[in-house]
Amino acid sequence: MPLAPRARLWPSLSAVYRAQLSRARVARIPLLFVATFQSLGIMVLMRGVVDGGAESRAVVAGSAVLIVAFVALNLLAQYFGQLRAGGGLDHYATLPVPAAAVVLGAAGAYASFTVPGVVVTAVAGGVLYQLPLSGLWVLVAVVPLAGAALAGLGAALGLLAPKPEIATLCGQLGMSAALLLGVLPGGRLPQPVGLLRDLLPSTYGVEALARAFETRPDWGHAALDLGVCAVVGVVSLALATWAYRRAAVR
């Protein structure tokens, strides 16, 4: 008897996304509150340090995107690291779904949890630092594009790490880098540190969001930053898909 045709990408992606969303809802929502309070605390602490202008925009934008880094990079690296170590990949490997659907579905579910926290942080930061809020519609692009880039990187770290402890360490180091380098204007950093900042996918989401807080936003440069996020997202998700295939057959 001939085998049934392999499931198509989009129906498989939708099924994995809904399953991951329902499984992670109870466990991840408390962590989302932690990430949001962490970002709000950073903005409050920095309020008496920054002078306004570019520094204020960088603090608010960096704090908002930090929530995406916490969930999509840190938690997703831990999830796939534990999934690989515990044999959970064997379950997904037996399903007739494309590898890309598993990676994209899990990444999309984790990134979805960041939306409320990012919006609350951006609005609260704009009010706290007296920044214009009319350009916050750009979050519609910043969250999914930055989330895709960071989630792909987090999934790849978790799948390529030989031990779950190393995956957790890599995810936390990545989130720490997003914290330390995301809330400061690039022009204030030494050149070697500035180059490292340019290598972080979250940097371009921060830059695009920071431009939205300007009185007259430069949407051309913001679109360019978002384009970089999109390219990095495609590459990182492709890397995560390859890493999934590699880990599933071992």
Side-chain angles (χ1 to χ4, degrees), residues 41-199:
I42 290 171
M43 291 192 302
V44 172
L45 290 174
M46 295 294 289
R47 183 65 181 89
V49 178
V50 299
D51 297 329
E55 292 181 348
S56 296
R57 294 192 294 270
V59 169
V60 178
S63 299
V65 177
L66 177 63
I67 298 174
V68 181
F70 181 86
V71 176
L73 176 58
N74 185 24
L75 296 185
L76 201 58
Q78 295 181 36
Y79 170 73
F80 273 108
Q82 294 171 357
L83 196 67
R84 180 186 178 188
L89 289 182
D90 296 338
H91 166 71
Y92 286 105
T94 59
L95 298 177
V97 297
V102 177
V103 174
L104 291 173
Y110 273 70
S112 297
F113 285 106
T114 67
V115 175
V118 172
V119 173
V120 169
T121 302
V123 172
V127 173
L128 181 64
Y129 287 84
Q130 298 179 353
L131 300 173
L133 302 178
S134 59
L136 284 187
W137 58 266
V138 78
L139 287 174
V140 175
V142 170
V143 173
L145 294 179
L150 293 171
L153 183 59
L157 289 174
L159 291 166
L160 293 175
K163 295 181 179 180
E165 295 82 5
I166 297 179
T168 299
L169 176 62
C170 291
Q172 291 177 346
L173 288 175
M175 188 199 68
S176 299
L179 166 61
L180 296 174
L181 301 178
V183 299
L184 297 174
R188 294 294 186 92
L189 300 175
Q191 185 175 2
V193 181
L195 292 175
L196 179 61
R197 181 177 183 271
D198 292 339
L199 294 176

Side-chain angles (χ1 to χ4, degrees), residues 7-22 97-98 100-106 108-109:
R8 293 177 297 171
L9 174 62
W10 292 112
S12 302
L13 173 59
S14 177
V16 173
Y17 173 81
R18 292 196 303 269
Q20 288 291 337
L21 201 64
S22 61
V97 297
V102 177
V103 174
L104 291 173

